[in-house]
Amino acid sequence: MAAAGRSVAASVKVVKPFLSRDQREAKRRVRELYRAWYREVPNTIQKFNLDISAKQGREKVREMFMKNAHVTDPRVIDLLVIKGKLDLEETIRVWKQKTHIMRYFHETETPRPTDFLSRFYGGHDV
């Protein structure tokens, strides 16, 4: 019984990776996903009839990847890559609508005011 307890304790400390064995392999997967998205931008613009250029689409792809550039844990990187692949597949197969794609470009909206007077002058509920 004591030997079983030690083996369980030892197995709890070891964390098994999702896909990548190390940081280098995780970065390779990120580069592959980035290239796939980069190549898909012109097709997406054409399929969804978007009012943006290929350059703007590729800049947005780069911006979205750079948001997570600080992540170093291979397990987290693998999770983000899996989500990115699912998102890419939904885009390629046109399971998304135009509004879903354009949401990535609406991040420049002004935030709602937080203090009382600004909300009052803006006509927002108190």
Side-chain angles (χ1 to χ4, degrees), residues 41-42 45 50-60 105:
V41 167
I45 291 171
L50 301 177
D51 297 330
I52 60 170
S53 67
K55 183 178 179 184
Q56 289 173 321
R58 288 178 171 149
E59 286 174 358
K60 183 53 79 169
F105 295 91

Side-chain angles (χ1 to χ4, degrees), residues 69-82:
H70 65 281
V71 178
T72 58
D73 185 5
R75 293 172 295 154
V76 176
I77 293 172
D78 286 343
L79 184 68
L80 291 170
V81 167
I82 291 169

